[in-house]
Amino acid sequence: MSTVSGRREARGLLVVGAAEVVTMAGGLRRGPAQAEPAIAPPGTAVACLDGRIVAVGPEAETWDALAAALAAAGGDAAAVDRLDASGATVTPGLVDPHTHLVFAGSREDEVAQRARGATYLEILAAGGGILSTVRATRAASEADLLAHGRRWLAQMLRTGTTTVEAKSGYGLDTATELRLLAVAGRLAAEGTIDVIPTFLGAHAVPPEARAAHPGDPAGATEAYVADVIAEQLPAVAAQGIARSCDVFCEAGVFSADQARRILLAARALGLAVRLHADELAPSGGAELAAELGALSADHLGAPSAAGIAALAGAAQGARPVVAVLLPTVPWFLGLAAREPARELIEAGIPVALGTDFNPGTSPVTSLPLVMTAAALTLGLAPAEALAATTVNAAAALGLADRGSLAPGLRADVAVWDVPTHAQIPYWAGADLLRAVVAGGRIVAGGATGARQQASRGTLPDGRPAGS
Ligand SMILES: [Zn+2]
């Protein structure tokens, strides 16, 4: 939004001509509804103003609604961008509810180690894995971390992501965790993608805690949990730089009891809670997520039957726990085990999908590629995968103002160069975006150069010039 002579310039956008408009209207999807995308009738247009959706409906009606909204906004310098979506599929902008965006370095060497038979936990125990990224991240400057974040956010935007969760967790001390969350906040402030910061101090036990408790890994873990609760969490809460708190709840990392103590402390400080649950083995994570009413339980590669039952029970309530599945992780780790996605959906548990973007187990930025993995390895239908990356992913972040196309919501829209949403996961790895609209602005276009193609004209009488 620019200012001209002190006046606010109201600026409208109309997305027209789509072959298919998937609105995802109707809120969180669970059970059979996960497969219901809410496809609008042919000829549906989407009108946006001031970063919000004004109307979704027949083109003439949306023009009228946009003209009225422009007039109400006093937009005497009014203008409208007209985005031609002919032959394309229009969906809500995608929401990535689980990433470790802010880190330094890369770990391609571990791919080769795993190919020779090393396991994830063996690499971690030998000082690699998360801890090698912690070393690189602690050594990185803020400018380095910002540049890294910008680079990968730009990649995400090019595959349709308009909101991304970003966890800390590669600092593992108060100062560095605060620095990582501050970087996420700066990326949110400057960026076109909305960045939602999550505090994940309990991601791994740092080397200095192990050094202070030689031969006593359990004591080191307990000491670090105490540090997270007594030092890190209060500092994070005092600065107001995280929306939620996450814990890596996994056998051999942090126990369900330790996760409970951290998350209860976080909640007492006003943070929402979520957790990495049962990624590699049943660890009580799903049960804990249900007990605490967490926003999400993530990974769920190996939940217990009791854990699934607990999440199913929570799903009947007013605030279900969203199961965030990350199917590129077992793929990248070469694991045979898969998240029991069909069992979760049949149990009525809302399912979301995320990239888990991180340097060790999923250096993946593309949600469409995650949708492909979900279709091929978890048995999700395209509509289920799309609900999982829009409305359900927004719910996993506690965000009610995005994830579907409806008046009043954020104007986050993806325009795909395919005639139906069913082709989004089908053309695996292809660049399918004609345009991405974030906060009402056209911010990215694919090979067809939509940003340049968008025509612009004034709206003196409620109708666009040249339409
Ligand atoms: Zn993760």
Side-chain angles (χ1 to χ4, degrees):
M1 191 56 55
S2 60
T3 299
V4 180
S5 307
R7 290 194 312 264
R8 222 159 104 263
E9 183 196 7
R11 178 114 176 257
L13 173 70
L14 200 74
V15 183
V16 295
E20 184 177 282
V21 176
V22 180
T23 70
M24 285 291 166
L28 183 79
R29 303 296 205 269
R30 60 191 117 175
Q34 177 106 28
E36 294 167 9
I39 296 174
T44 293
V46 180
C48 312
L49 182 68
D50 270 354
R52 296 279 156 180
I53 295 171
V54 172
V56 180
E59 184 174 342
E61 289 179 20
T62 56
W63 272 120
D64 290 342
L66 186 53
L70 271 166
D76 52 12
V80 170
D81 289 331
R82 191 171 191 275
L83 178 54
D84 180 7
S86 299
T89 296
V90 171
T91 72
L94 303 184
V95 176
D96 192 340
H98 185 135
T99 87
H100 303 255
L101 175 68
V102 189
F103 60 86
S106 63
R107 293 180 8 217
E108 64 277 7
D109 52 328
E110 291 175 17
V111 179
Q113 289 177 40
R114 281 196 296 273
R116 291 194 296 269
T119 68
Y120 174 80
L121 289 178
E122 285 168 359
I123 292 170
L124 182 62
I130 290 173
L131 296 179
S132 72
T133 300
V134 169
R135 287 191 292 276
T137 303
R138 285 176 173 177
S141 70
E142 184 159 330
D144 288 342
L145 293 169
L146 279 166
H148 161 99
R150 289 186 193 113
R151 174 183 182 186
W152 297 113
L153 282 175
Q155 285 284 329
M156 293 171 180
L157 189 66
R158 289 179 57 169
T159 49
T161 300
T162 51
T163 298
V164 59
E165 187 250 20
K167 303 178 194 296
S168 66
Y170 292 116
L172 307 184
D173 60 48
T174 303
T176 315
E177 289 294 308
L178 288 172
R179 196 153 64 94
L180 299 182
L181 291 168
V183 166
R186 279 194 56 185
L187 292 168
E190 72 184 27
T192 44
I193 292 190
D194 199 15
V195 178
I196 311 294
T198 296
F199 169 61
L200 177 59
H203 192 197
V205 177
E208 54 273 17
R210 293 195 188 282
H213 297 78
D216 181 15
T221 302
E222 262 305 316
Y224 184 63
V225 167
D227 180 72
V228 169
I229 292 172
E231 304 294 334
Q232 297 185 26
L233 260 174
V236 167
Q239 294 197 13
I241 52 176
R243 281 184 182 236
S244 57
C245 177
D246 194 344
V247 174
F248 190 2
C249 179
E250 187 74 29
V253 190
F254 296 100
S255 70
D257 172 64
Q258 289 164 336
R260 179 186 292 105
R261 280 148 50 203
I262 292 168
L263 295 173
L264 286 174
R267 173 176 291 168
L269 291 167
L271 294 168
V273 301
R274 57 200 324 110
L275 60 164
H276 284 64
D278 311 326
E279 175 180 353
L280 303 167
S283 309
E287 293 91 326
L288 180 61
E291 173 194 325
L292 296 178
L295 283 175
S296 66
D298 299 32
H299 282 292
L300 298 174
S304 69
I308 293 176
L311 292 176
Q316 305 308 312
R319 278 196 39 198
V321 180
V322 178
V324 176
L325 307 185
L326 308 160
T328 54
V329 174
W331 173 58
F332 203 77
L333 291 178
L335 301 177
R338 297 283 179 253
E339 300 98 326
R342 295 257 48 103
E343 193 180 342
L344 296 170
I345 289 173
E346 279 154 26
I349 299 161
V351 166
L353 292 167
T355 60
D356 198 13
F357 175 64
N358 78 79
T361 64
S362 183
V364 171
T365 54
S366 166
L367 280 173
L369 187 63
V370 170
M371 292 163 72
T372 302
L376 297 180
T377 69
L378 304 185
L380 260 62
E384 291 176 322
L386 188 57
T389 49
T390 54
V391 66
N392 282 13
L397 294 178
L399 300 172
D401 66 343
R402 67 198 77 185
S404 53
L405 301 177
L409 300 192
R410 273 176 62 99
D412 295 340
V413 184
V415 181
W416 308 84
D417 253 333
V418 289
T420 166
H421 71 279
Q423 289 190 15
I424 296 172
Y426 169 72
W427 298 109
D431 177 7
L432 296 178
L433 259 305
R434 184 181 298 183
V436 180
V437 177
R441 291 192 308 122
I442 301 171
V443 292
T448 54
R451 199 195 313 221
Q452 286 69 42
Q453 285 185 2
S455 61
R456 190 168 179 194
T458 56
L459 247 183
D461 61 352
R463 287 290 178 277
S467 78

